[in-house]
Amino acid sequence: MKIGLATPNSDYGHRTTDMAVEAEQRGYDSLWVGEHSHIPASRETPHPAGIELPQLYWHMRDPFTSLGAAAAVTSRIKLVTGVCLVLEHEVLDLAKSVATLDEVSDGRFLFGVGVGWNREELANVSAVPWAQRYVAMRETIEALRGQWSQHEAGYSGTHVHIEPSWVYPKPVQQPGPPVLMGCQGRIGMQHAAEYADGWCPLDDFLGDPRKAVDRFRSAVESYGRDPDSVPISMYCFSRPTEEKLELYRQLGVERTVFGAPDGAERHQRFVERNQHLLDTFAD
């Protein structure tokens, strides 16, 4: 099983470049960074876990700038958005950012995507109604894939409209970087099963992971797809343990992602404390 490392990538933590170099040296297969362009000060939408919102949510660095810097100081580790909130970006600009990152990393980018959980955050930057966010995400991914794989591509949907355009560079990976979908709710799981290249749910929100993995693979089959062609990267939202990793390995999970805490000292203690799990379970 592959082991990835996720970081809040906060401006008061380690530099992304330092984390990337250390993660590669320690044997992690991938480095994951999240995204929140901003957090509305109103704070009307509660945190999905029902907790007070940690400050890291409004201190995250930009994921594409961060991963571009990480690409320059590493050579093997995969670089992942975990996840990019695609509806908070203009589509053509996002197409170029993703393609550029894949190019400068020599094809090491994995495009983790999601719709987010904060209603006010989406409303601040997009006209997409909250109830239509999954429809808009589908259109966005379809439009992006067209731009990555074709010299000239346009798109016409309910929420996304692009005149035929030339957007370069093209990604090294063709027809584009793998799209990993981080949605674990009922609707999100169906979207991942239908058209994503991988699924990256948060394990704490799945209930019984055995049943969740079975539901996902059944959903993949219902769309006429081979479940083995849509690998799972299980985001270990709480503390990783040998029991968890052994279960995920038995379930055929391709990758488990360790979620490190924010802050330089806490991050360092985390990676040192869990090195034995990496040594034991990583391919």
Side-chain angles (χ1 to χ4, degrees):
M1 184 168 60
K2 300 172 184 176
I3 306 292
L5 180 67
T7 168
N9 196 32
S10 62
D11 59 5
Y12 53 83
H14 281 312
R15 288 183 179 273
T16 317
T17 49
D18 294 340
M19 289 188 288
V21 169
E22 182 182 24
E24 184 171 82
Q25 292 174 344
R26 285 183 175 272
Y28 287 96
D29 99 293
S30 51
L31 178 70
W32 298 56
V33 301
E35 176 180 45
H36 281 281
S37 62
H38 69 292
I39 293 294
S42 67
R43 290 291 298 113
E44 293 180 17
T45 302
H47 188 282
I51 62 175
E52 185 65 27
L53 189 70
Q55 69 171 350
L56 65 89
Y57 280 86
W58 61 91
H59 280 268
M60 291 181 180
R61 300 181 178 107
D62 175 79
F64 293 103
T65 304
S66 298
L67 293 178
V73 296
T74 57
S75 60
R76 300 183 308 277
I77 196 167
K78 299 285 187 182
L79 306 168
V80 196
T81 47
V83 293
C84 171
L85 302 178
V86 295
L87 302 184
E88 297 187 15
H89 294 262
E90 191 280 321
V91 179
L92 293 176
D93 184 63
L94 183 58
K96 182 177 286 286
S97 294
V98 169
T100 300
L101 180 51
D102 196 60
E103 182 199 29
V104 301
S105 67
D106 295 321
R108 289 187 282 138
F109 181 55
L110 304 178
F111 190 34
V113 303
V115 295
W117 52 267
N118 192 311
R119 289 175 179 253
E120 298 81 55
E121 183 178 351
L122 178 61
N124 271 357
V125 296
S126 173
V128 173
W130 184 252
Q132 292 291 307
R133 64 196 185 280
Y134 283 104
V135 175
M137 180 171 65
R138 179 201 301 275
E139 293 183 358
T140 300
I141 298 304
E142 290 174 351
L144 290 170
R145 284 171 165 165
Q147 293 297 333
W148 294 333
S149 60
Q150 301 171 37
H151 167 62
E152 180 179 302
Y155 189 87
S156 181
T158 302
H159 302 285
V160 178
H161 303 277
I162 301 172
E163 292 297 316
S165 304
W166 304 331
V167 177
Y168 278 80
K170 300 302 181 189
V172 171
Q173 301 177 88
Q174 282 293 320
V179 175
L180 313 183
M181 194 166 293
C183 310
Q184 60 266 336
R186 180 180 59 84
I187 297 175
M189 180 188 287
Q190 290 296 321
H191 278 254
E194 181 182 0
Y195 63 89
D197 300 308
W199 187 43
C200 50
L202 300 174
D203 60 357
D204 274 10
F205 295 88
L206 287 178
D208 186 337
R210 300 174 186 82
K211 294 180 180 178
V213 168
D214 285 345
R215 284 197 303 271
F216 176 70
R217 289 179 173 150
S218 295
V220 173
E221 288 183 329
S222 73
Y223 288 105
R225 307 176 70 193
D226 179 1
D228 290 338
S229 70
V230 191
I232 299 171
S233 293
M234 188 72 75
Y235 194 116
C236 198
F237 196 67
S238 55
R239 186 173 65 88
T241 63
E242 291 187 11
E243 292 75 18
K244 281 186 179 181
L245 269 64
E246 182 58 38
L247 171 60
Y248 298 156
R249 182 162 61 182
Q250 291 175 7
L251 292 175
V253 168
E254 179 188 59
R255 175 187 292 109
T256 296
V257 183
F258 293 177
D262 63 324
E265 292 184 3
R266 295 176 68 212
H267 175 96
Q268 198 61 39
R269 288 197 299 269
F270 178 90
V271 294
E272 291 173 358
R273 184 173 65 246
N274 292 296
Q275 184 64 41
H276 72 288
L277 295 175
L278 184 62
D279 296 338
T280 301
F281 287 92
D283 290 339

